[in-house]
């Protein structure tokens, strides 16, 4: 009896998982130039889901109190292709805080406003080899800002965004993220409050940057806008669509809008390659070979240029602050689908 119930439960769960794939946009038969083997993508994603579902290694971030109490079991995968096919599996409706993944899109916005050269001059793009919140990196590195994807460089990047006051800058940032996601995104107020009450380290970084003239607006105001941008809520599908916008030369595949200038995409993806997973970036490039960005909220998005993006949400993190399950899933899917950018076969060489 008990066994039957368990069986019934797993059949139901399997049916739910299958139902949550959304063939709606494609209705499986339609030919796609970028995902010609949709069934293969579906089965590989499903395999990865099953393979890593039970892996509970890692630990939720707890230096932001809100994040410590997010359910560690949540697990969602979303793939969005450049021709706007959507595949989703697991907890893809839950809205988690975007955290550091926001840094990519504020970088993109700063580049829209100032151009790539100016942003490079003001921020730089060197890996720090240190944890994402390291003050030592600010002191040691010749640029002090390091790159746009560690906290110091990201706070400095946020300080570049124009606006007559903090509210105008924040609204501009939120609006830009929403265009990349193709949906209106909102602040998770509880995350913002939790982080704003505990972000003394980031405030210290902002003043350290001021010492070297490497922050371009009021330091604490910049930290506050940065804290808000990190507290924006996204679900895995929205995050995958933001990634697909990068994969699609800056055009959101769902809305058709050119959100990010085409000419800025290579620099953004290169910054993600150098520092997207912080001091885990070298190992990631070695094993996976895709530009990606993680956030301490448990999300990672990886970009297969011209093809699409995969976003995974699973809160427990490794030492560097990267979701353990998300890394494993993306690694698995990228290997199976031959997405590694550095592999000649990824561009069709036999
Ligand atoms: N808001 C977080 C912080 O500033 C972002 C860090 C992250 O996601 N790695 O610490």
């Amino acid at each position: 009896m008990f066994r039957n119930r368990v069986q019934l439960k797993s059949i139901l769960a399997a049916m739910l998982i299958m139902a949550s794939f959304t063939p709606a946009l494609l209705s499986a038969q339609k030919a796609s130039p970028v995902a010609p083997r949709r069934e293969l993508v579906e089965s590989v994603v499903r395999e990865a889901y099953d393979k890593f579902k039970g892996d509970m290694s890692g630990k939720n971030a707890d230096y932001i109190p809100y994040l410590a109490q997010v359910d560690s079991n949540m697990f969602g995968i979303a793939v969005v292709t450049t021709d706007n096919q959507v595949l989703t599996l697991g907890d893809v409706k839950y809205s988690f805080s975007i955290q550091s993944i926001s840094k990519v899109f504020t970088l993109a916005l700063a580049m829209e406003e100032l151009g790539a050269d100016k942003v490079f001059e003001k921020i730089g793009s060197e890996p720090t080899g240190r944890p994402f919140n390291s003050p030592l990196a600010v002191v040691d590195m010749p640029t002090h800002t390091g790159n746009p994807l560690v906290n110091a460089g990201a706070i400095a990047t946020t300080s570049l965004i124009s606006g007559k006051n903090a509210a105008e800058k924040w609204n501009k940032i939120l609006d830009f993220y929403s265009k990349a996601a193709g949906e209106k995104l909102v602040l998770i107020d509880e995350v913002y409050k939790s982080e704003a009450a505990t972000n003394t380290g980031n405030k210290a970084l902002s003043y350290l940057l001021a010492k070297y003239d490497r922050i371009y607006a009021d330091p604490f105001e910049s930290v506050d806008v940065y804290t808000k941008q990190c507290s924006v809520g996204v679900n895995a599908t929205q995050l995958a669509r933001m990634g697909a916008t990068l994969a699609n030369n800056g055009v959101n595949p769902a809305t058709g809008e050119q959100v990010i200038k085409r000419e800025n995409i290579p620099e953004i993806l290169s910054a993600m390659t150098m520092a997207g997973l912080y001091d885990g970036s070298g190992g990631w490039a070695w094993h996976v070979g895709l530009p990606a960005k993680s956030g301490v909220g448990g999300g990672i998005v990886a970009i297969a240029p011209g093809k699409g993006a995969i976003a995974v949400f699973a809160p427990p993190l490794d030492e560097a602050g990267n979701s353990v399950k998300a890394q494993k899933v993306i690694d698995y899917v990228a290997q199976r689908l031959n997405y590694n950018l550095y592999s000649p076969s990824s561009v069709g060489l036999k």
Side-chain angles (χ1 to χ4, degrees):
M1 173 66 181
F2 176 70
R3 221 166 123 216
N4 279 348
R5 210 180 296 149
V6 170
Q7 268 179 2
L8 185 67
K9 251 178 126 182
S10 44
I11 290 168
L12 274 173
M15 282 169 69
L16 267 177
I17 287 169
M18 285 165 73
S20 72
F21 272 107
T22 44
L25 291 156
L26 176 74
S27 52
Q29 300 79 359
K30 191 175 144 197
S32 157
V34 295
R37 294 170 304 158
R38 183 184 166 105
E39 291 93 63
L40 176 66
V41 179
E42 277 183 0
S43 69
V44 168
V45 167
R46 215 174 268 156
E47 270 165 44
Y49 184 86
D50 292 340
K51 191 170 162 68
F52 300 113
K53 189 171 171 43
D55 184 334
M56 289 313 292
S57 38
K59 195 169 153 295
N60 282 31
D62 57 8
Y63 73 98
I64 299 170
Y66 180 96
L67 297 179
Q69 40 92 28
V70 171
D71 180 359
S72 313
N73 292 304
M74 274 191 293
F75 181 29
I77 308 178
V79 175
V80 175
T81 64
T82 49
D83 65 348
N84 198 32
Q85 298 181 64
V86 183
L87 270 97
T88 59
L89 186 54
D91 298 311
V92 292
K93 297 258 158 73
Y94 178 81
S95 192
F96 55 94
S97 54
I98 188 169
Q99 293 297 341
S100 276
I101 305 166
S102 67
K103 294 166 177 169
V104 173
F105 295 91
T106 299
L107 166 66
L109 179 57
M111 290 169 81
E112 292 292 307
E113 295 196 331
L114 299 172
D117 290 348
K118 200 90 197 145
V119 173
F120 185 74
E121 178 196 315
K122 300 261 180 206
I123 310 293
S125 186
E126 296 304 326
T128 65
R130 294 193 187 267
F132 61 81
N133 51 7
S134 171
L136 286 179
V138 178
V139 175
D140 276 358
M141 296 194 72
T143 61
H144 306 292
T145 34
N147 66 68
L149 304 183
V150 291
N151 288 13
I155 294 164
T157 306
T158 301
S159 80
L160 289 174
I161 304 302
S162 66
K164 58 178 189 305
N165 52 40
E168 194 175 299
K169 295 176 193 183
W170 156 240
N171 285 326
K172 194 191 271 184
I173 289 171
L174 183 63
D175 191 48
F176 188 72
Y177 292 5
S178 299
K179 283 184 184 154
E183 285 171 41
K184 184 98 201 78
L185 300 177
V186 292
L187 181 80
I188 309 177
D189 202 46
E190 281 176 279
V191 176
Y192 168 63
K193 290 203 174 100
S194 181
E195 187 162 346
T198 51
N199 63 357
T200 45
N202 284 337
K203 287 181 180 148
L205 289 178
S206 74
Y207 259 83
L208 205 47
L209 288 169
K211 169 181 153 134
Y212 299 110
D213 285 329
R214 293 291 282 179
I215 189 156
Y216 310 103
D218 178 77
F220 281 6
E221 177 196 284
S222 303
V223 171
D224 189 52
V225 176
Y226 163 83
T227 306
K228 283 195 175 129
Q229 78 177 46
C230 290
S231 308
V232 168
V234 283
N235 62 39
T237 312
Q238 290 166 332
L239 185 57
R241 204 175 301 110
M242 293 174 91
T245 299
L246 290 167
N248 196 33
N249 262 334
V251 176
N252 183 315
T255 64
E257 184 179 2
Q258 183 88 46
V259 181
I260 300 167
K261 281 195 193 98
R262 182 190 177 98
E263 67 261 31
N264 293 337
I265 298 295
E267 288 89 344
I268 297 168
L269 297 184
S270 81
M272 293 170 80
T273 302
M274 300 312 294
L277 270 71
Y278 314 113
D279 38 337
S281 301
W284 177 261
W286 179 281
H287 293 293
V288 185
L290 287 180
K293 185 71 204 85
S294 64
V296 290
I300 301 186
V301 63
I303 318 301
K307 296 178 177 137
I310 174 167
V312 182
F313 166 60
L317 311 177
D318 66 11
E319 290 291 307
N322 303 315
S323 166
V324 177
K325 259 202 278 234
Q327 290 178 80
K328 289 182 178 170
V329 167
I330 297 168
D331 185 6
Y332 184 87
V333 172
Q335 302 269 358
R336 289 289 314 276
L337 298 178
N338 213 355
Y339 277 172
N340 188 323
L341 279 189
Y342 305 112
S343 152
S345 54
S346 74
V347 287
L349 290 186
K350 295 268 184 308

